[in-house]
């Protein structure tokens, strides 16, 4: 089996709170990102998704656990070594407008990584920016514009173009479509799928919308209260989902409603779980190849 482009093993992140307490945002999370495949990390707000991505990129240091780029441990790297890691791991953030300097023209903004790594001369900025804009389906004439002159969808395409300038092995997207309208979301997802086919990038895509990622991802990682409660292939998600929390997420997706607007039978059967039934799950257990489920707490069903 080939080495994943990036992986995490047993990542835990605990924050100190005012008054001397603590808050565990992620607990014992493991994930593998493989070239040419997409892992969608889903869950409601506060489930630990973004904290996981920040640990993968080195923006947060894990309390325990390992992060590997290929076979190299990177969770403790700093300085020039961290700078080198970030050549290979790029991130697209949730707010496209907030991720660009407002006074910088699009050409300089898109090529900023190349400039920062001394990989391009000033005379090459505009030609390279035009090339990258064409890659993501934008008019090359936008190179002279400033961020506020572009739509949200156009600006997020620019953010993707910027992330790809260094030809990274791994692309991490943190709610990269949540600020966009439905049509722009579909366009961005189709763009990422095309670019992945062309470049073989490993993608980690954080999202709270299962409907959006179900047809795009290879693997679904479901997080709840800082822990992974289910990991399964995206194909056949509705039929295969077993954990009560995953089923609850699926039951909230409008696409599961029939033509009369009635919600169909919940995937995996059973009644909708109560929040108190999900408070304390056991360790992940493999129930089928590539399908792991945390055994729910007593009273929430056996997860089979």
């Amino acid at each position: 089996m080939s080495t994943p482009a990036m992986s995490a093993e047993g990542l835990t992140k605990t924050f100190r709170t005012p008054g001397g307490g603590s808050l565990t945002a992620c607990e014992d999370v493991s994930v593998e990102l493989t070239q040419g495949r997409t892992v969608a990390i889903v869950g409601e707000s506060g489930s630990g998704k973004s904290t996981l991505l920040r640990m993968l990129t080195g923006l947060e240091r894990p309390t325990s656990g390992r992060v590997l780029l290929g076979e190299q441990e990177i969770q403790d790297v700093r300085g020039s070594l961290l700078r080198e890691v970030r050549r290979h791991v790029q991130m697209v953030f949730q707010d496209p407008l907030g991720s660009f300097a407002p006074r910088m023209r699009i050409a300089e903004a898109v090529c900023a990584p190349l400039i920062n790594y001394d990989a391009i001369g000033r005379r090459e900025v505009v030609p390279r920016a035009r090339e990258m804009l064409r890659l993501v389906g934008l008019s090359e004439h936008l190179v002279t514009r400033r961020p506020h002159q572009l739509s949200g969808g156009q600006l997020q395409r620019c953010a993707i173009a910027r992330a790809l300038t260094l030809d990274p092995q791994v692309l991490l997207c943190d709610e990269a479509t949540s600020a966009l309208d439905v049509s722009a979301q579909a366009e961005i997802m189709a763009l990422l799928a095309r670019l992945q086919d062309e470049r073989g990038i490993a993608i980690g895509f954080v999202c709270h919308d299962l409907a959006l990622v179900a047809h795009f991802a290879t693997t679904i990682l479901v997080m709840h209260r800082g822990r992974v409660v289910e990991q399964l292939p995206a194909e056949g998600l509705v039929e295969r989902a077993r954990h009560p929390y995953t089923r609850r997420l699926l039951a909230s997706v409008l696409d599961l409603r029939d033509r009369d607007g009635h919600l169909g039978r919940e995937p995996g059967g059973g009644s909708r779980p109560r929040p108190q039934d999900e408070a304390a799950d056991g360790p992940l257990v493999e129930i089928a190849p590539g399908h792991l489920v945390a055994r729910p707490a007593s009273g929430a069903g056996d997860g089979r």
Side-chain angles (χ1 to χ4, degrees):
M1 183 179 295
S2 62
T3 302
M6 175 172 253
S7 59
E9 300 176 359
L11 284 188
T12 295
K13 179 63 179 180
T14 300
F15 294 97
R16 294 297 178 187
T17 60
S22 64
L23 171 67
T24 299
C26 279
E27 183 178 358
D28 195 24
V29 176
S30 297
V31 62
E32 291 187 352
L33 301 175
T34 306
Q35 285 186 319
R37 296 178 178 272
T38 296
V39 174
I41 305 162
V42 301
E44 61 195 355
S45 296
S47 60
K49 309 183 301 297
S50 295
T51 300
L52 173 59
L53 251 61
R54 290 177 66 84
M55 287 191 287
L56 293 177
T57 57
L59 294 174
E60 292 285 355
R61 194 170 188 172
T63 304
S64 61
R66 303 198 305 163
V67 179
L68 295 97
L69 184 62
E71 296 181 347
Q72 177 188 3
E73 286 194 32
I74 62 172
Q75 72 274 2
D76 294 321
V77 300
R78 290 295 181 267
S80 61
L81 290 177
L82 180 58
R83 177 177 167 82
E84 184 59 29
V85 164
R86 286 179 174 162
R87 291 183 66 105
H88 306 293
V89 182
Q90 290 289 300
M91 192 163 175
V92 178
F93 296 92
Q94 177 176 354
D95 177 14
L97 186 59
S99 66
F100 285 90
R103 295 181 179 276
M104 188 178 288
R105 295 191 186 276
I106 293 300
E108 289 77 15
V110 167
C111 291
L114 292 169
I115 296 170
N116 290 339
Y117 281 90
D118 297 320
I120 193 173
R122 287 290 175 180
R123 292 183 179 179
E124 301 171 86
V125 168
V126 171
R128 181 62 68 88
R130 286 173 174 164
E131 175 187 336
M132 296 306 298
L133 291 186
R134 289 194 298 269
L135 177 69
V136 297
L138 290 176
S139 169
E140 62 183 56
H141 300 297
L142 295 177
V143 293
T144 60
R145 303 278 182 88
R146 288 189 167 85
H148 72 275
Q149 296 176 302
L150 275 63
S151 70
Q154 288 175 322
L155 206 53
Q156 199 62 296
R157 285 174 181 262
C158 288
I160 294 169
R162 176 179 60 185
L164 294 178
T165 55
L166 293 172
D167 198 20
Q169 300 173 32
V170 179
L171 182 65
L172 301 175
C173 302
D174 188 8
E175 300 278 12
T177 58
S178 64
L180 308 178
D181 61 37
V182 174
S183 61
Q185 287 180 356
E187 290 172 358
I188 294 297
M189 299 302 283
L191 169 63
L192 288 172
R194 175 175 65 81
L195 292 173
Q196 186 175 61
D197 287 342
E198 294 173 358
R199 297 192 169 208
I201 310 167
I203 296 179
F205 194 94
V206 158
C207 188
H208 63 271
D209 189 345
L210 268 175
L212 185 65
V213 299
H215 302 294
F216 167 69
T218 310
T219 300
I220 305 290
L221 199 75
V222 183
M223 292 190 66
H224 182 47
R225 298 183 182 179
R227 301 185 65 190
V228 175
V229 296
E230 188 159 12
Q231 175 183 321
L232 71 163
E235 185 178 1
L237 169 65
V238 174
E239 295 79 15
R240 296 181 183 179
R242 289 295 177 266
H243 193 275
Y245 179 70
T246 308
R247 296 203 302 265
R248 192 175 81 180
L249 289 179
L250 285 167
S252 68
V253 176
L254 292 177
D255 287 357
L256 295 181
R257 297 181 184 275
D258 61 25
R259 293 182 179 180
D260 297 323
H262 301 298
L263 193 64
R265 182 177 61 86
E266 286 197 4
S271 60
R272 184 172 300 188
R274 300 167 298 171
Q276 60 267 32
D277 292 334
E278 302 164 12
D281 293 312
L284 290 170
V285 175
E286 187 169 30
I287 63 172
H291 189 173
L292 291 79
V293 182
R295 294 301 186 190
S298 177
D302 61 10
R304 289 180 295 180

